[in-house]
Amino acid sequence: MHRLTATYLVETPLALDKAAASLAGEQSSGTFVAVPGETDELKARFAARVERITELESTTTPSLPTGRAAAPGTVYRRAEIEVSWSLENFGANLPTLVSTIQGNLYELAQFSGLRLRDLTLPEIYRSAFRGPAHGIAGCRRLTGVQGRPLIGTIIKPSIGLSPAQTADLVRALAEAGIDFIKDDELMADPPHSPFDARVAAIMRVISSQADRTGKKVMYAFNITDELDAMQRHYETVVCAGGTCAMLSLNSVGLVAAKKICDLGTLAIHGHRNGWGMLNRHPLLGMEFPAYQKLWRLAGVDQLHVNGIANKFWEPDDSVVRSIASCLAPEPLRKPVLPVVSSGQWGGQAPETFRRTQTVDLLYMAGGGIMAHPEGPAAGVRSLQRWWEAAVEGLTMAEAAGKYPELAVSVAKFGTSG
Amino acid sequence: MHRLTATYLVETPLALDKAAASLAGEQSSGTFVAVPGETDELKARFAARVERITELESTTTPSLPTGRAAAPGTVYRRAEIEVSWSLENFGANLPTLVSTIQGNLYELAQFSGLRLRDLTLPEIYRSAFRGPAHGIAGCRRLTGVQGRPLIGTIIKPSIGLSPAQTADLVRALAEAGIDFIKDDELMADPPHSPFDARVAAIMRVISSQADRTGKKVMYAFNITDELDAMQRHYETVVCAGGTCAMLSLNSVGLVAAKKICDLGTLAIHGHRNGWGMLNRHPLLGMEFPAYQKLWRLAGVDQLHVNGIANKFWEPDDSVVRSIASCLAPEPLRKPVLPVVSSGQWGGQAPETFRRTQTVDLLYMAGGGIMAHPEGPAAGVRSLQRWWEAAVEGLTMAEAAGKYPELAVSVAKFGTSG
């Protein structure tokens, strides 16, 4: 029988096998007293199964409140545990899969820490889920960029520009040779920049440049909204000749995001704002390898992973692991394009390449382009040059020594990195 | 101008005013260097505004990792802060509202703790959002229950029963006088209990009992699935004469849940499984008063709040506050029916009433009904009696002394409470 496996980091004041059994029970047949109808045959067929318990370190302070008074000297044991479910329990129903692997687990008093680390999805899911309609190869085809990262930027300020002002910025960026531009996630369809007017103004610029040069900038229009509006906005982008739409994944939710991805014409740029809530405490929530698998099943083509030396709290090791998980073939044998973002100005390219050995990235820089001392075109060229230097194997210092234009960007942005 | 206000509990190694300003900047015009186009006029119109900073206690240990080395002796200050945004930034776009008040905030290195406590929504939202189509009054009308809590239960085992076996349980419960029954959240449309067959079998029992007695049990069918399937299942329930559908809110997501609520025929039972991930750490995530407002805007009619002396980690004070927030008129002047659940057997009724002074509840008991020593009908009668005793003002012990049938349930379930 096909089974789904989930790996958790747990912390518990109980014996590990007892705690693991309570987790498995809660997430399959579980009830607080025995009831008629719960036969051994049913249990064997539908029960979650504890597959592995690997004991880790212990602590005397619980990481999360348990709501129970602890005896003095209580030890909280940590372990990695693996639990599996028969696919029969939920089938290809993605939100019910999520309820099964997460559900009430995070509320169990038996645990003082619980974190979903990873998932292994049954191979049979390849026939039930299409996954990313475009993925990395498709995004390269749509932008005509091969052999290096796509270079992208964000329209700032996030809020307040009119469609005409935004189109002016897009013109400058397109002429500068940018591959990708996105709306800010705080910007959707406000009165000062109605969605339809913004798409019309921006696509006029992008299409006319594509007609002249053969290069069509990919613009991720933020269609995040209620469902009917998202579908309408998606059509507006398609009709205007656009190639990409952006969703704030956590705000929209899995089911509506999948409905949009299923449309399949546009590449879907997945913004993970809100992710910190799910991930920042080391013994709560979930880790990115599990998270990205769910969104890959939903069909997202591009997914934010933060960046090396980012402006947020996330350590580089975690970013490196996120990039690797996006590029790993499973699930569905379809990788998702990692979107490297947050405080990036180019100087992080050498370390990013050294640690990930890939150019299959969408590399986003904000001020690094628009605030470049010699203008946006120099900013874009500088980012491309940073990536050439990175692939040559140079460090940031070596690259700045070899290429004068990179010395310029280190002088301007180096302290913020 | 109409503004939305969010209240956060924060912890930061920075000066509080500086940290609050960085939060407001990130969630409106924010970028990491100044760029052309960001005028003072734009800033004044669209910037988030820090409305209040109330300093609380300090600590020398950060609650969450910041990704930055701290100087020895660093103090982490806690405060409650209030930030407001012009409605013009996002309008009636619910997911973009969520991205605005949550967004990247949880990733900011400037904070070692950040938790959304509450929201104040602009009154003008009453014209943009319908909110719960049925709410408390509607659920009472649909079930014919006045003056006491609706008494409900869950079909267990969660997974494995066939439609015919489930219908047999429903028959026993309906004959026992139950008001409400729900599918388990792990149970949606599996091969051993296909949704359509389950609805047909169960509604045959419920309708025939309603024809005989005039009392129609409300059954919350779990329609959680991909969007097209949810819409199809919703129609199936409507056509079979059902009155309620259940969604796993966090797994489905805000946008698809609102799309279903907008249909407006069935009462929507909102299950909050996964909630612990968002709430369990005291300095991360969000608190229930904020959470329930978002789901009320989406239109959910019934929302889980856990229960007094529950089997999970949640303290009673938190449960009491959740119930109060569901019953408060704002937003939209439409309360949502609190679903009291988790380890409830009736004995918690006195304390629940003493602390909340309300009978506007859906009171769910699992084993407390099905495993009652004198059968399910005695279980349902016992729960009704518990609530009569609670409204009389009796304690659990006084109630058990006065009513022999309550002494029976204390003897059976009292230790698990």
Side-chain angles (χ1 to χ4, degrees), chain A residues 30 111 226 228 259 280, chain B residues 111 156 228 258-259 280:
Chain A
F111 295 95
E226 311 217 344
D228 296 352
K259 179 73 182 169
R280 189 152 171 187
Chain B
F111 295 95
K156 298 269 182 183
D228 295 353
K258 178 164 192 303
K259 178 74 184 169
R280 188 151 171 188

Side-chain angles (χ1 to χ4, degrees), chain B residues 52 63 129 165 188 198 238 242 244 286 312 349 356 384 393 395 417:
Chain B
R52 175 171 66 84
S63 295
F129 293 93
Q165 289 173 311
R198 190 160 85 249
V238 171
C244 187
M286 64 196 301
F312 294 138
T356 64
Q384 293 176 351
T395 63

Side-chain angles (χ1 to χ4, degrees), chain A residues 208-326:
Chain A
S208 112
Q209 205 229 15
D211 289 345
R212 280 199 319 278
T213 66
K215 180 178 172 69
K216 189 176 213 174
V217 173
M218 178 180 272
Y219 191 103
F221 291 99
N222 182 15
I223 64 171
T224 299
D225 208 322
E226 311 217 344
L227 189 70
D228 296 352
M230 285 204 291
Q231 289 174 312
R232 216 164 48 234
H233 292 161
Y234 187 101
E235 271 315 300
T236 301
V237 175
V238 171
C239 293
T243 55
C244 187
M246 163 171 147
L247 297 177
S248 285
L249 299 176
N250 301 309
S251 307
V252 166
L254 201 54
V255 169
K258 178 164 193 301
K259 179 73 182 169
I260 296 297
C261 292
D262 282 348
L263 299 172
T265 308
L266 302 175
I268 298 298
H269 181 88
H271 199 290
R272 67 175 191 178
N273 64 80
W275 163 242
M277 192 177 344
L278 309 178
N279 173 258
R280 189 152 171 187
H281 189 279
L283 273 142
L284 181 62
M286 63 195 302
E287 297 185 0
F288 191 82
Y291 180 78
Q292 60 91 22
K293 284 182 183 173
L294 296 174
W295 292 108
R296 249 203 251 190
L297 286 182
V300 167
D301 296 290
Q302 308 173 352
L303 188 55
H304 278 245
V305 295
N306 227 330
I308 294 288
N310 61 76
K311 66 171 178 170
F312 294 138
W313 78 280
E314 191 179 359
D316 291 349
D317 285 354
S318 171
V319 174
V320 167
R321 193 172 65 139
S322 294
I323 292 173
S325 73
C326 287

